[in-house]
């Protein structure tokens, strides 16, 4: 392997340590701690593990977490009422409603209902709009985490040919906006793209976020390119894999993220970052 690893666990830990310091400095001066509300609907085991990890990460930093575990039979009206209550609660700086939601509930309507200044996922149309016009509010966590990882490469993104594979609301599209604002020339590939290989072969930076295991082949990677893998898939043997054929890509890339241990831990770190940003703004600390 020739690529250098972009270690999301290590960079995420650095981000979290910085946040812990900020929180300690202000709470020692008598300010209330940051508060994050985590709403989970139904008891999906994978989701529960993930939510429990977020709570632990919060506690370690000095963020107070408020858990709301709702039955999967909860009505839209009840969920709406909870979001309204959390929007008004002065102890709460961030609201995260774990997705996906059961079929009978509308994720769009919940995302739209969350106060954009408490939308620590960065999913609200206001926050996506702010990003699009370079007035970032709360930035979507996964693309934000990727931008933080890219800093580790020390490379200048200006003029770089960046190819984003996947155009989802929560990763691909905001990722393209982030890279555009950073000065890259951005191509977004998606299900209707005719020759994915041709686009990837030109890329100095590839962000794979299609949700298809092994979609991006190692032989497509340009020598020295940066490869960021947002995909996460569990095989029957329990091992995790991304959207990139890692072993072959690592032979050619300059930098590459592993799965696990790459983008995933950065997403959580940036969720904490957004919670602290929202808290500072709410307390007038900036
Ligand atoms: N409102 C909302 N916001 C989210 O941000 C959100 C969500 N809903 N629903 C579920 C997805 C999934 N997601 C992950 C974040 C980090 C890891 C992560 O840290 N993964 C570890 C591996 C974990 C393992 O071992 O299973 C890694 O990549 O190293 C995984 C998954 C955030 N999500
Ligand atoms: Mg797609």
């Amino acid at each position: 392997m020739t690529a250098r690893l972009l270690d999301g666990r290590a960079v995420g830990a650095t981000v979290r340590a910085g946040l812990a310091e900020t929180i300690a400095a202000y709470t020692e001066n008598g300010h209330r701690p940051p508060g994050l509300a985590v709403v989970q609907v139904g008891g999906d085991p994978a989701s529960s593990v993930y939510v429990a990890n977020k709570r632990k990460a919060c506690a370690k930093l000095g963020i107070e977490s408020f858990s709301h575990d709702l039955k999967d039979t909860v009505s839209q009206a009840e969920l709406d009422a909870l979001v309204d209550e959390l929007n008004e609660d002065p102890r709460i700086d961030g609201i995260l409603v774990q997705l996906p939601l059961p079929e009978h509930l509308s994720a769009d309507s919940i995302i739209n209902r969350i106060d954009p200044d408490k939308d620590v996922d960065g999913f609200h149309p206001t926050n996506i709009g702010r990003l699009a016009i370079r007035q970032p509010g709360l930035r979507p966590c996964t693309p934000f985490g990727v931008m933080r990882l890219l800093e580790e490469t020390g490379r200048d993104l200006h003029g770089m040919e960046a190819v984003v594979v996947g155009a989802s609301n929560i990763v691909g599209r905001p990722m393209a906006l982030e890279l555009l604002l950073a000065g890259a020339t951005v191509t977004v590939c998606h299900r209707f793209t005719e020759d994915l290989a041709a686009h990837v072969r030109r890329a100095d930076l590839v962000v794979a976020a299609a949700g298809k295991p092994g979609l991006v082949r190692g032989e497509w990677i340009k020598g020295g390119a940066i490869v960021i893998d947002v995909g996460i898939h569990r095989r029957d043997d329990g091992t995790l894999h991304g959207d990139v054929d890692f072993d072959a890509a690592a032979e050619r890339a300059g930098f590459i993220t592993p799965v696990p241990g790459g983008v995933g831990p950065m997403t959580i770190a940036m969720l904490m970052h957004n919670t602290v940003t929202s808290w500072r703004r709410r307390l007038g600390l900036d």
Side-chain angles (χ1 to χ4, degrees), residues 165-168 189-191 209-210 212:
V165 184
S168 69
C189 298
H190 46 75
R191 68 181 73 248
K212 294 197 170 98

Side-chain angles (χ1 to χ4, degrees), residues 84-100:
D84 291 347
E85 191 186 301
L86 298 171
N87 280 340
E88 294 305 319
D89 190 331
R91 300 167 303 169
I92 287 173
D93 304 293
I95 302 169
L96 180 142
V97 178
Q98 180 76 9
L99 301 177

Side-chain angles (χ1 to χ4, degrees), residues 9 47 50 53-54 96-100 121 123 141-142 232 234 240 258-268 271:
R9 285 191 189 121
S47 217
Y50 172 72
N53 285 338
K54 269 190 226 173
L96 180 142
V97 178
Q98 180 76 9
L99 301 177
D121 272 319
F123 293 168
C141 297
T142 298
I232 179 158
R234 192 177 295 277
L240 295 177
V259 177
V263 174
M266 293 305 298
T267 298
I268 310 230
L271 172 72

